[in-house]
Amino acid sequence: MSDPFRPLKNAFARYTTGVTVVSCLDPSGRALGITVNSFTSVSLEPALVSWCLDDRTSVAGAFLNADHYAVSVLAADQETQSQRFATPDNHAFQEGEGERFATGAPLLEGRIAGFDCRLAERFRVGDHTMLIGEIVHFDSREAAPLVYVGRGYSQGPVITD
Ligand SMILES: Cc1cc2nc3c(=O)[nH]c(=O)nc-3n(C[C@H](O)[C@H](O)[C@H](O)COP(=O)(O)O)c2cc1C
């Protein structure tokens, strides 16, 4: 059966983004991550970011219950991580994997930037939920980002300060 959303998806696919893995702790303390390209910066003061969560994903319940989340901006050599956390029912971090700042949500090693966030606002928007986070800790390094456009990956330029 043909996908009625194909033309809209084709138009969205023209927009170039970076790739992130957003993580949280579920109620039992298990760390989960999902590949996300809807991440964006929102405000400097207060320091806010946002991303949109598909309400149908298997991890939606965990993220909707969590007071905190962390965002790892992927480096050009982290396509495998992007594919891993976009695979159905494959969202669990391994024991001890990742680096934790203030909130306990793990950030992936090798990222080019990381944002540890407290959930500030949440809005239902269509079939997604927009999560606004207040940054409580962040870092970045000089490196090339993973880029996503046209349903494929490429490498961005090295970003320097
Ligand atoms: C590059 C890329 C970007 C994505 N961006 C988002 C996003 O912004 N929000 C979202 O909810 N899902 C996004 N997804 C899809 C989820 O990663 C995917 O639906 C989910 O991991 C599937 O897991 P599930 O079948 O266990 O629900 C993206 C996937 C890829 C490959």
Side-chain angles (χ1 to χ4, degrees):
M1 202 178 74
S2 73
D3 178 358
F5 296 109
R6 179 52 53 199
L8 182 57
K9 289 178 180 174
N10 288 344
F12 286 161
R14 264 67 179 176
Y15 185 60
T16 305
T17 69
V19 184
T20 69
V21 171
V22 184
S23 66
C24 72
L25 300 180
D26 76 5
S28 67
R30 194 173 54 131
L32 301 172
I34 180 173
T35 301
V36 159
N37 70 340
S38 55
F39 170 80
T40 192
S41 56
V42 173
S43 164
L44 286 174
E45 198 175 74
L48 301 173
V49 295
S50 76
W51 64 288
C52 291
L53 170 69
D54 186 333
D55 294 329
R56 295 156 298 193
T57 69
S58 59
V59 287
F63 278 97
L64 294 177
N65 272 308
D67 293 330
H68 300 93
Y69 62 78
V71 181
S72 300
V73 180
L74 299 190
D77 63 359
Q78 290 187 303
E79 186 178 328
T80 309
Q81 304 277 44
S82 176
Q83 283 166 347
R84 169 185 164 196
F85 287 102
T87 303
D89 298 317
N90 189 38
H91 301 283
F93 279 69
Q94 281 145 25
E95 193 66 33
E97 183 184 9
E99 188 181 350
R100 289 160 205 256
F101 291 154
T103 74
L107 291 123
L108 288 171
E109 312 276 358
R111 65 187 178 276
I112 64 167
F115 303 92
D116 200 17
C117 301
R118 179 189 67 79
L119 182 67
E121 302 262 12
R122 213 172 60 187
F123 306 101
R124 280 296 299 276
V125 277
D127 54 16
H128 280 58
T129 297
M130 177 178 276
L131 297 104
I132 312 281
E134 179 168 11
I135 299 167
V136 295
H137 190 92
F138 68 94
D139 68 359
S140 66
R141 66 184 179 93
E142 297 188 350
L146 185 62
V147 168
Y148 191 71
V149 65
R151 301 182 192 87
Y153 295 95
S154 58
Q155 182 170 342
V158 173
I159 314 292
T160 55
D161 293 334

